[in-house]
């Protein structure tokens, strides 16, 4: 058995929408994906990692486009994670061009990212989230969003 999630996170990892906006976004997701197994809001005091699971194919440098080796990325993940305090999202020089990026800034294919807020739909059965719906979520939540398709 495998599961699929659509996970919406703010592009700004520190951003947490207010409670009313969270509730409205959750209601919208229930309308957009009425057959979802579950719709869940996650809020934490610390920055957490939201991965795309088996959908991850490669990680590239956003400055020069070179692929970042998995072991290099893993080292930075270990260094950046502060146990219960979550991720610091410090900047690290890329091995290819030395330009500095946080782990959230890297070009993940498929997308994944970091944040303190997420809105998840488990097994939404809608394929890709339509752009018009993404824009509605962005309007309600007051932030640009990153859409993560997690496959486990
Ligand atoms: Zn580079």
């Amino acid at each position: 058995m495998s599961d699929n999630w659509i996970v919406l996170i703010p592009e700004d990892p520190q951003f947490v929408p207010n409670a009313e906006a969270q509730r409205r976004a959750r209601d919208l997701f229930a309308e957009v994906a009425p057959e979802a197994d579950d719709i869940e809001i996650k809020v934490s005091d610390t920055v957490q990692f939201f991965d795309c699971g088996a959908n991850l194919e490669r990680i590239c440098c956003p400055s020069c486009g070179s692929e970042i080796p998995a072991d290099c990325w893993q080292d930075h993940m270990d260094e950046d994670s502060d146990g219960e305090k979550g991720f610091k999202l410090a900047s690290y020089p890329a091995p290819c061009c030395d330009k500095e990026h946080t782990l959230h800034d890297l070009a993940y294919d498929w997308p994944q990212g970091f944040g303190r807020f997420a809105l998840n739909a488990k097994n939404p059965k809608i394929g890709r989230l339509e752009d018009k719906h993404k824009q509605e979520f962005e309007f309600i939540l007051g932030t640009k969003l990153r859409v993560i398709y997690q496959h486990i």
Side-chain angles (χ1 to χ4, degrees):
M1 269 298 284
S2 66
D3 286 311
N4 290 290
W5 274 264
I6 295 179
V7 182
L8 306 178
I9 61 169
E11 275 295 346
D12 172 358
Q14 295 295 342
F15 184 85
V16 178
N18 66 49
E20 171 65 17
Q22 292 178 22
R23 204 162 37 237
R24 286 176 59 206
R26 185 199 171 109
D27 289 348
L28 175 61
F29 223 160
E31 267 174 49
V32 168
E35 292 179 44
D37 290 351
D38 193 20
I39 301 209
E40 176 185 67
I41 294 169
K42 279 191 177 173
V43 178
S44 68
D45 293 335
T46 58
V47 172
Q48 305 295 315
F49 178 44
F50 296 94
D51 67 274
C52 62
N55 282 334
L56 184 66
E57 291 175 7
R58 67 184 74 78
I59 303 166
C60 292
C61 169
S63 295
C64 73
S66 299
E67 189 161 342
I68 292 178
D71 57 344
C72 170
W73 177 73
Q74 192 58 57
D75 286 349
H76 288 158
M77 285 291 283
D78 293 343
E79 191 177 337
D80 206 70
S81 168
D82 207 355
E84 284 175 12
K85 290 190 194 140
F87 288 85
K88 304 189 285 268
L89 296 183
S91 290
Y92 303 98
C96 38
C97 62
D98 241 22
K99 292 261 169 56
E100 300 216 342
H101 314 100
T102 71
L103 290 164
H104 185 65
D105 294 335
L106 298 177
Y108 295 102
D109 179 13
W110 298 15
Q112 49 187 12
F114 296 79
R116 293 179 45 210
F117 168 82
L119 180 62
N120 304 339
K122 182 181 182 186
N123 296 320
K125 306 176 192 82
I126 58 167
R128 294 289 189 122
L129 184 71
E130 287 182 50
D131 273 349
K132 66 171 185 190
H133 289 140
K134 182 186 175 199
Q135 285 160 13
E136 279 181 69
F137 283 116
E138 289 179 337
F139 180 76
I140 289 172
L141 293 170
T143 177
K144 284 283 171 197
L145 293 170
R146 188 176 297 192
V147 184
I148 298 168
Y149 296 91
Q150 187 192 50
H151 179 71
I152 292 182

